[in-house]
Amino acid sequence: MVVMATSGSGPTQAFAPVLTAMSTMRDGQREQKKVAHQFLESFQKSAEAWQITIGILQSGADAEAQLFAATTLRGKITYDVNQIPQDALPALRDQVLELLKVFATGPRPIRIQLCVCLAILAIQMTEWKDVVPMVVSSLGNNAESHACILDFLKVLPEEVTEGRKINLTEDELQQRTQELLGDNAGQVVQLLISYAQSSETAATNPQLLEVITSWLREVPVADVVNSPLLNVIFSALDADRSFEAATDCLVSIFKETREVDAYLPTIQVLLPRVVALKPRIRQAAEQEDAELYKGITRIFAEAGEAWVVLIAREPIAFRPLVEGVLECAALDMDRDAIALTFIFWYELKLYLILENFIQARMQYVDVYAKLVDIMLKQLEYPNDTPGSDDLFDGDREAEEKFREFRHHMGDVLKDCCEIMGVTECLSKVLERIKAWMAAYASQATANSVPHWQQLEAPLFSMRAMGRMVDKDEDIILPQIMPLIVQIPHHEKLRFATIMVLGRYTEWTSNHPELLEPQFTYIVSSFGTDSKEIVRAAAMAMKFFCTDCKHLLSGQVVQLQQFYNQTLDKLPGVSQEELTEGVASVVAVQPVPQIFELLKLYCDPLMERLMAKANVAIDDDGKLLVAGLSLLPRLHAIANNADHLQLITLFIQMVTPYVEPGQENPAVKYCQEIFPILSKILDTFALFTPICERICRCWRYMIISYRTTMAPLLPEMANKLANGFAASKQGCFLWVTSAILREFSEDREHVAENTTEAIYAFFEAQSTNMLRMMSDVPPRDLPDVIEDFYRLLVDALLYYPHKLISSSLFTPIFQAGVSALALEQREPLTAALHYLRDVIGYGGDNPPSSSQSPNPVEIKQIVQELILANGEHLVERIMAGMMITFPDDCFSDGSGALLELFQLLPQQTAAWVDKTVRMLPPGTIQEAEIDKLMNGIKERLALGPDGLRKVRSLLQDFTNVYRRRYVAPRDGLGRLEAERFHFNA
């Protein structure tokens, strides 16, 4: 029974524990709060919650308790309405209407929740046909009820749109949407017009505008634009209290007219009204009203975005609108609103660069030229504060916001380049640099550079436009580059110059005559005291060496001297960047020189690594070997270089080509350092960071040198097998995976005995892992499980017949099913990917690297495996999707179910049926299960076309269950995961 008496002590006693628990949540101790939270969570799922929540709302409880009750009632109506008999729903509706009358004057949060309750109930009470008329008539026509009616009208379309969370079929939801929204649209418009005309206060009520916005998807936008409501909306822009809501409403109207050909008459009505707002741009700027300025800017920018096709088609008619957007950008001195225009400039550019709109492009070239000037001005740093070096007065958030904002402005400059041409944009940059040189260069000293902001901004713009500049540009850049390496020393100017030089290295490679002064400028920058400049110089050096590697080839020995002297002075990221750069130069040297050059560059790194390893007796010392440190004081030691990572970079970058059968000089060097790395691995086998770095190095040896690594494979396999058995670390599986890929069965120049040995090595690793998963619960092995099943995906791809025919195939599958009890995304994703691939081998289109058909015997093995283990697999996937999986794993879980249905439709349906009937008692009704299974059977009868609908049914079912119930604290009952056991 839903009706709740309001007199007597019984009801008060009933909800007293709830009020006590809420008080505990507010004021109690940690453990008390935990107990109270569990009680309230359980209460919200219970059948008693219906009467108690309504009782609290009818009582004199405080507002916080009543808001909790209203929120709980909303959840009950959304997910638990099946707890109430169908014939009791009208009584529940009437009670909610009565409560709305009680709370008509507020508090508004409670009133909103009750409106949502009524809207969700209306969606589910499909026999209730006169929803809007009944609500309007029931709530009455006094001033207090108007707010209530407007709130209900606002939330109704929102809740219907979110109807996927309601347990209705697609057809039922579609029909109910038409009944609630489509059939009431005209009546709602008339209601809103009548209300707006009832008083001046009503016409500027933000609630009215919010309702219009909410119904715009349902009401034809022309009906609003051609009604008195349009004047109401534009007039509301004049009132402070309604300005924001009116802006939102106009923006929604613009978005509804994006299909411009269908809404041309409507746009013709709106355009002059928007353009008429132009005087308000300057007015808002002069008043320094930031919110007003942002609102007006938003109106112009959103109108431009919505009608961008027409702007390109009819440039003359729509130019006033474009000029309005430009003015918004130009007058925004606080840089708060200009970003709202960026999408418009980008989308307009996309049309103007098309050949069809070449005439419009010519019409707007001057607009984009002005936009470049605006951006160059807006890019400037704030002026210096006397007596302070901090341009942002200690406001780091403002500084970061400005940096991010500049990069977005850089994107706009790229758009301008595409419209005007790169040369014209660079000309504006050159003009600014020359103007500053003429005005202020003579006043610059070693300690002071006047108005440096006016020089730094065009430098930054050059960097932003770098991607647009062709390496053959021969007009402006040859004038700019000699200028900028002579710019007076100032930290931000030098930083900006370095970043420009680093951005244009590809251009410089095509203009070698300008390389030396630039390269000298970068090298000299490593000697400055500024960490920011040094980091920038390292990045620029990386690009110089990469793009100009052939030009620098003759200096490879001198470059090593610079590298060796500079490396230890750099932070870790810069060390890697500098290493990438010099490795690029080494990589283009003649093959006969590679071995000696690798020794020249890498031997000093190996010496530093061994020196650290020899003295590493505690965790701090071991971390230093791994290039890490827990103690700030240790970071100061040579910036604690990650020498293993630097050696790995050389292995990644220096990959000489040699003919099959010939010795690879890089592999020769790997053979020279392998014993040292093995010794370090043996010494620190139980220290994860070192193991991971050595395994990463070995993995890149395999990836870079592929089958030429064959001479090292026996030693490496032995170390990997022993290391994994001893340490149980997944990093050893990374290397195994790379070996499987590079030495697969279908590779050329790989001997059969090699592939046999590699597969045997893989099985040994797998046996160790299965023993581990048998001994240790999955929750204690998430990372290793992830690495193992990623390895298995490769094994199945490159050695499918060997793996599927193996005695390990079944336990590996069973272990993967047991891993689905985990709740971390990465291992779950890896296991699900492997399981899906295995299922694929049961059919005609497996995820294979081979083009040959899937053999019948392979299909049979996989189908027998699934028939034997499919029930358990479906249990784990369904339990995961309903209770334990993170959201990111839903698509893989439902994808695995879909593939099972494709392979074994009737058996999978039976497994799903059995699984959902194992759910904890009271959490699901038989009728819901029957409805799900009948839906599955109907769609399976449709053949292949119905399979995807089965997937949608299961996703909807599991989503509803997941929202409705939390995992029981005493376990999952019959759906609890079983431990995996392996008998080797």
Side-chain angles (χ1 to χ4, degrees), residues 361-376:
R361 180 176 173 180
M362 302 310 297
Q363 293 276 350
Y364 288 124
V365 162
D366 66 314
V367 171
Y368 275 87
K370 292 174 184 173
L371 184 60
V372 173
D373 293 331
I374 292 168
M375 291 296 136
L376 286 172

Side-chain angles (χ1 to χ4, degrees), residues 330-345:
L331 298 180
D332 183 21
M333 292 299 102
D334 294 331
R335 301 187 182 96
D336 281 336
I338 188 173
L340 297 172
T341 71
F342 292 169
I343 294 175
F344 166 70
W345 299 119

Side-chain angles (χ1 to χ4, degrees), residues 713-714 717-718 720-721 733 735-746 750-768 770 788 791-813 834 838 841 858 861:
L713 277 186
N718 183 48
L720 292 172
L733 303 178
V735 194
T736 306
S737 183
I739 293 172
L740 280 181
R741 280 198 302 273
E742 298 302 336
F743 290 84
S744 60
E745 291 178 294
D746 55 357
V750 178
E752 184 177 348
N753 62 338
T754 302
T755 59
E756 291 293 339
I758 287 168
Y759 184 76
F761 158 63
F762 155 73
E763 285 212 337
Q765 296 281 64
S766 298
T767 302
N768 279 332
L770 291 172
F788 181 54
L791 166 63
L792 284 165
V793 168
D794 283 336
L796 191 61
L797 183 62
Y798 295 108
Y799 288 82
H801 299 169
K802 280 186 169 66
L803 178 57
I804 291 172
S805 303
S806 165
S807 61
L808 295 179
F809 185 53
T810 295
I812 285 171
F813 187 88
Y834 173 72
V838 169
Y841 274 93
I858 292 295
I861 293 172

Side-chain angles (χ1 to χ4, degrees), residues 728 772 775-785 822 824:
K728 300 179 173 57
M772 199 187 307
D775 296 340
V776 182
R779 65 176 178 274
D780 297 331
L781 296 170
D783 293 340
V784 191
I785 288 174
L822 290 167
Q824 295 100 318

Side-chain angles (χ1 to χ4, degrees), residues 233-234 236-239 243-244 246-248 250-251 254 273-285 287 289-304 321 323-329 331 337-338 340-341:
I233 297 165
F234 273 95
L237 293 171
D238 297 326
F243 176 78
E244 184 177 353
T247 300
D248 290 340
L250 275 177
V251 167
F254 299 152
R273 301 293 296 265
V274 174
V275 171
L277 296 173
K278 278 181 71 176
R280 298 197 62 177
I281 301 171
R282 186 166 294 278
Q283 177 188 346
Q287 292 174 354
D289 188 331
E291 293 307 311
L292 176 62
Y293 195 89
K294 285 174 72 172
I296 296 295
T297 301
R298 189 169 166 228
I299 290 170
F300 275 90
E302 294 274 7
L321 177 62
E323 289 175 341
V325 181
L326 186 70
E327 188 175 355
C328 289
L331 298 180
I338 188 173
L340 297 172
T341 71

Side-chain angles (χ1 to χ4, degrees), residues 72 102 145 148 262 313 323 634 686 743 815 957:
T72 300
V102 173
S145 67
C148 217
R313 278 190 206 159
E323 289 175 341
L634 292 175
L686 300 180
F743 290 84
F957 178 83

Side-chain angles (χ1 to χ4, degrees), residues 139-212:
L139 293 177
N141 195 32
N142 53 46
E144 290 81 9
S145 67
H146 288 167
C148 217
I149 293 170
L150 289 172
D151 279 339
F152 176 75
L153 290 177
K154 177 181 180 292
V155 302
L156 181 61
E158 295 170 356
E159 294 305 317
V160 172
T161 303
E162 291 294 314
R164 294 288 299 168
K165 65 189 176 187
I166 306 295
N167 195 18
L168 296 176
T169 66
E170 288 287 350
D171 293 340
E172 289 171 338
L173 186 58
Q174 192 172 356
Q175 180 182 347
R176 197 59 179 150
T177 300
Q178 178 59 35
E179 291 173 352
L180 291 174
L181 303 182
D183 296 348
N184 285 313
Q187 182 185 356
V188 169
V189 170
Q190 290 307 312
L191 273 172
L192 298 179
I193 292 172
S194 299
Y195 175 73
Q197 294 175 340
S198 65
S199 69
E200 289 185 14
T201 303
T204 57
N205 184 352
Q207 278 184 278
L208 166 67
L209 297 156
E210 289 168 1
V211 176
I212 298 172

